[in-house]
Amino acid sequence: MPHVRTSPTRGARIESTMGRVVAGCALIAALTGPLGAQQSTLTGRLHHVWDAEATSDNPDGVAAYVVDDAGRGTRIVPAAPSDRSQQYSFDRRRVEVQTEVIRQGPTNSPSVRVRSLRVIGVVPSPIASLHGTTGLDFITVLCRFADDPTPLLSPSQMERVVGPTYPGMRQYFGELSSSPDVMAGNQVTTVWFDLPQPRSYYVQGTQTAIGTLATDCTTAADAEVYFPAFAGINLQFSSGLATRATAPYDVLSFGGSWTLTLDQQTRDWGMTWMSVEHAENYVVYAHEMGHALGWPHSSGRYGNEYDSAWDVMSRGYLRYELPWGWLTVHTIGAYKDAMGWIPANRRWTPAAGSVTSNTLVRGALAPAQGHLLAIIPSGPNRFYTAETRMVAGHDGTLPGPAVVLHEVDYGRAYVTDSDRNGDPNDAGAMWTPGETFTDSIAGLSVRVDAETQDGFAVTITRGWRLDVNVTGEGTVRSAVAGDIDCDAGTCSHLFPTRGTGVQLTAEPLPGWSLAEWTGACAGRSDCTLTMGDTRTVRAEFRRQLLASAVLERLLGQSLHFAADQLAFIDGLGNGNGEFDVGDVRAWLLDPDAAALQGSLAAFAAPLDPRRIS
């Protein structure tokens, strides 16, 4: 193999290079904790490790750590659950965290609550350096607990799991990326290495000493492996790691990243921690290696991390094939695009204030021409994606051929499901010809026009459409987006941005007089321009959504609250179909919602996304 050289000590050492890019950002301070807690300051890289045990304050099942250059990690807990999604966007950045200790973990690994967190300096971002590269090679390191017998699995068995033969990880990720070079250099250590401690030192019930395992396993293998050659490290252990605290009480594996100093290089590696129960499990290997590449879970908005059949980063177990067992599907277009696997000329981002049509072709074994992904901005740190999913390659088991939409919030993707019935895989999440998705708050719509051999023809509208009925000749001028000129009949105008509300003014034609103009209308009603000869112009305005009305509703003092207003606020919050205090808190903190307070908030189209047949 091209990256192998003989070592005078033992095994093979592998080397290559990996690019780096510069990134930096800052984070908003979190809430303070209880008085009297032990306070400290941490400095290091922020890492997320997925598939940790989900709890009430961590519904996503992801643990965040601040890791120093020696690989010592301290788990951090956000002061409020709402801080968590923002925190994802700072993954693998150097941070300074003001904390207070709340408990100790296994092998003296404490957990602390965040009082404030900020990104410091201008530092390389290893995950950014993965974008657009072709290698992404992983080394699989075999490590045995000190009290374990000789493992039953041989290195050659593990080579089948990560190698180029279907459905090995090189073949699988090569298909996802449409590149035969991705993970072409995947390798497995030639022997099992002995850890210095027994399993009980690293694993205590539902807790795993993630950082200690990372340092001890890589140190044991350092004589054989030249780690800087690889983008990622699979740590395969000879026994199980933590067990789930709730039913079905199964053994867990983990995926994410970690900072280590290896072969005199301090760097962040994509990393997995694999239980022996998952050693030959192609679904779990693909899922955890996805986390190592920086992919979060995706799901419906129903509180279930593993409910979407559209993504390996969700349900995963979707088809059983002998002799390999359970296999999975592709990841979603948003995560492929984050890796640079979708070329710029095959990515469709409609301009604001436009109505455009294109064909979205399937992403699995994609044809040579056609757009693979549409990206539609919907607000700060939020956007929608539209992609075609059809049965092909590893996408052999899907709910059906359809355009599938996701809303991506701080990098985490959620299936857009029109019926909101708890199932993100049924007809409500499959957009087919004749159906239109509309988000009136974001001012966008996605219409599926027709099915083609390899995809679907789609029309995307970005902006707020205002339909004006003119009973005679006249001109309506918009203060925010130019003129609407039309003769008798109905004409439309698309406003590219929401602003603080559409305000209309009227000007009479030469020789006519302006008799009356009503330009501010409460509720959903007609606004009438009366000319000297009784000709009129009518237009519907956005409904007002005042802060006082929201709070009155919460206190039970207002029963006259429109269904679309309730759906809008619920969508900002927990999306459980109810109006509660969590929704109000999210609404008050949301910058988009704040911009709408005291202004007009909706057109005639519904505020919550739903199917229009």
Side-chain angles (χ1 to χ4, degrees):
M1 298 182 69
H3 296 306
V4 176
R5 69 169 184 243
T6 302
S7 168
T9 54
R10 56 186 297 190
R13 297 172 65 91
I14 307 135
E15 57 183 343
S16 68
T17 58
M18 179 179 180
R20 290 190 163 191
V21 298
V22 174
C25 48
L27 181 63
I28 302 171
L31 302 176
T32 59
L35 295 176
Q38 180 182 349
Q39 298 182 5
S40 63
T41 301
L42 296 174
T43 301
R45 295 290 182 86
L46 177 62
H47 292 282
H48 291 89
V49 177
W50 293 82
D51 292 347
E53 182 62 29
T55 62
S56 58
D57 64 346
N58 179 20
D60 295 341
V62 57
Y65 297 86
V66 175
V67 183
D68 65 17
D69 290 349
R72 293 182 295 263
T74 300
R75 182 170 180 175
I76 64 172
V77 178
S82 59
D83 297 333
R84 189 176 305 280
S85 60
Q86 249 189 340
Q87 190 172 282
Y88 295 155
S89 61
F90 303 104
D91 191 39
R92 312 185 193 197
R93 302 294 197 269
R94 189 166 182 83
V95 297
E96 180 184 271
V97 187
Q98 302 295 326
T99 71
E100 56 192 21
V101 176
I102 55 177
R103 62 177 178 271
Q104 294 289 328
T107 61
N108 197 32
S109 176
S111 292
V112 298
R113 191 176 307 280
V114 175
R115 302 182 76 245
S116 67
L117 187 154
R118 68 184 183 92
V119 172
I120 56 176
V122 179
V123 295
S125 171
I127 190 61
S129 70
L130 300 181
H131 295 186
T133 62
T134 56
L136 299 181
D137 298 337
F138 273 66
I139 178 69
T140 300
V141 182
L142 309 178
C143 283
R144 179 175 63 183
F145 293 114
D147 56 344
D148 272 354
T150 301
L152 298 177
L153 290 169
S154 67
S156 62
Q157 287 174 289
M158 293 309 306
E159 286 173 356
R160 289 199 296 268
V161 175
V162 300
T165 303
Y166 176 92
M169 294 301 102
R170 175 184 171 185
Q171 186 276 333
Y172 171 77
F173 282 99
E175 181 178 305
L176 266 61
S177 62
S178 299
S179 170
D181 296 325
V182 166
M183 298 193 186
N186 283 0
Q187 295 196 27
V188 180
T189 58
T190 60
V191 298
W192 285 82
F193 297 98
D194 292 326
L195 293 171
Q197 302 293 338
R199 178 179 179 274
S200 60
Y201 178 82
Y202 304 100
V203 182
Q204 299 173 14
T206 60
Q207 299 185 71
T208 298
I210 295 293
T212 309
L213 281 172
T215 55
D216 285 0
C217 186
T218 54
T219 298
D222 188 55
E224 176 176 327
V225 179
Y226 182 71
F227 286 100
F230 298 96
I233 305 171
N234 294 321
L235 304 177
Q236 177 60 62
F237 296 101
S238 59
S239 188
L241 302 179
T243 55
R244 198 180 303 275
T246 57
Y249 308 107
D250 53 353
V251 173
L252 298 174
S253 291
F254 308 90
S257 59
W258 208 258
T259 297
L260 292 170
T261 298
L262 298 169
D263 295 292
Q264 300 181 335
Q265 291 193 29
T266 300
R267 214 186 73 194
D268 299 341
W269 275 265
M271 191 166 290
T272 69
W273 293 256
M274 305 299 296
S275 291
V276 72
E277 287 84 351
H278 299 142
E280 294 183 286
N281 188 315
Y282 292 87
V283 173
V284 177
Y285 250 89
H287 181 98
E288 304 306 344
M289 289 175 72
H291 284 315
L293 294 177
W295 303 343
H297 288 150
S298 71
S299 63
R301 289 189 180 271
Y302 306 118
N304 183 349
E305 291 297 289
Y306 306 104
D307 63 353
S308 172
W310 305 104
D311 193 359
V312 61
M313 304 312 296
S314 189
R315 178 174 289 179
Y317 290 90
L318 291 168
R319 70 185 192 278
Y320 192 87
E321 292 185 15
L322 292 175
W324 306 287
W326 284 102
L327 301 179
T328 189
V329 295
H330 279 228
T331 192
I332 59 176
Y335 296 167
K336 292 181 181 180
D337 187 58
M339 297 302 300
W341 291 347
I342 297 181
N345 65 345
R346 305 195 70 178
R347 187 192 309 116
W348 172 23
T349 303
S354 69
V355 180
T356 53
S357 298
N358 274 305
T359 297
L360 289 173
V361 298
R362 68 174 189 266
L365 303 184
Q369 302 295 325
H371 289 90
L372 295 168
L373 184 70
I375 301 174
I376 317 155
S378 60
N381 299 299
R382 293 174 181 154
F383 57 91
Y384 285 98
T385 63
E387 61 184 309
T388 286
R389 301 296 291 273
M390 289 180 165
V391 172
H394 278 281
D395 265 358
T397 304
L398 292 173
V403 173
V404 180
L405 306 176
H406 285 83
E407 185 173 18
V408 183
D409 187 356
Y410 284 100
R412 170 76 188 276
Y414 300 90
V415 178
T416 301
D417 184 15
S418 65
D419 54 30
R420 303 182 68 180
N421 65 347
D423 182 0
N425 308 303
D426 62 6
M430 299 168 60
W431 300 86
T432 54
E435 296 177 339
T436 301
F437 162 78
T438 300
D439 182 338
S440 299
I441 292 301
L444 60 88
S445 68
V446 180
R447 186 183 73 224
V448 182
D449 299 318
E451 184 172 356
T452 67
Q453 180 179 353
D454 296 315
F456 292 88
V458 173
T459 297
I460 296 177
T461 300
R462 280 192 65 193
W464 284 263
R465 182 172 297 283
L466 182 65
D467 294 323
V468 180
N469 179 263
V470 182
T471 58
E473 292 183 353
T475 298
V476 178
R477 183 180 298 279
S478 163
V480 295
D483 295 343
I484 307 173
D485 298 319
C486 56
D487 295 327
T490 300
C491 58
S492 299
H493 187 76
L494 195 66
F495 294 95
T497 58
R498 176 170 55 226
T500 57
V502 176
Q503 301 296 322
L504 296 180
T505 61
E507 296 179 0
L509 291 177
W512 291 16
S513 62
L514 178 61
E516 180 183 355
W517 165 245
T518 305
C521 306
R524 181 175 159 185
S525 61
D526 286 347
C527 303
T528 302
L529 165 64
T530 303
M531 310 297 281
D533 58 357
T534 71
R535 290 179 173 86
T536 61
V537 175
R538 298 186 179 90
E540 287 189 324
F541 279 65
R542 305 187 204 183
R543 179 179 291 111
Q544 285 187 319
L545 187 59
L546 299 174
S548 59
V550 176
L551 297 178
E552 286 172 2
R553 173 71 183 191
L554 178 64
L555 298 173
Q557 298 174 355
S558 173
L559 300 179
H560 302 291
F561 217 62
D564 55 359
Q565 292 175 324
L566 291 175
F568 165 52
I569 299 175
D570 182 45
L572 289 176
N574 50 34
N576 63 358
E578 304 290 337
F579 180 82
D580 51 39
V581 66
D583 298 331
V584 175
R585 181 181 184 277
W587 176 76
L588 291 172
L589 295 176
D590 186 89
D592 289 339
L596 292 176
Q597 294 175 26
S599 67
L600 302 167
F603 284 117
L607 280 174
D608 68 322
R610 65 186 65 178
R611 189 179 305 275
I612 302 174
S613 298

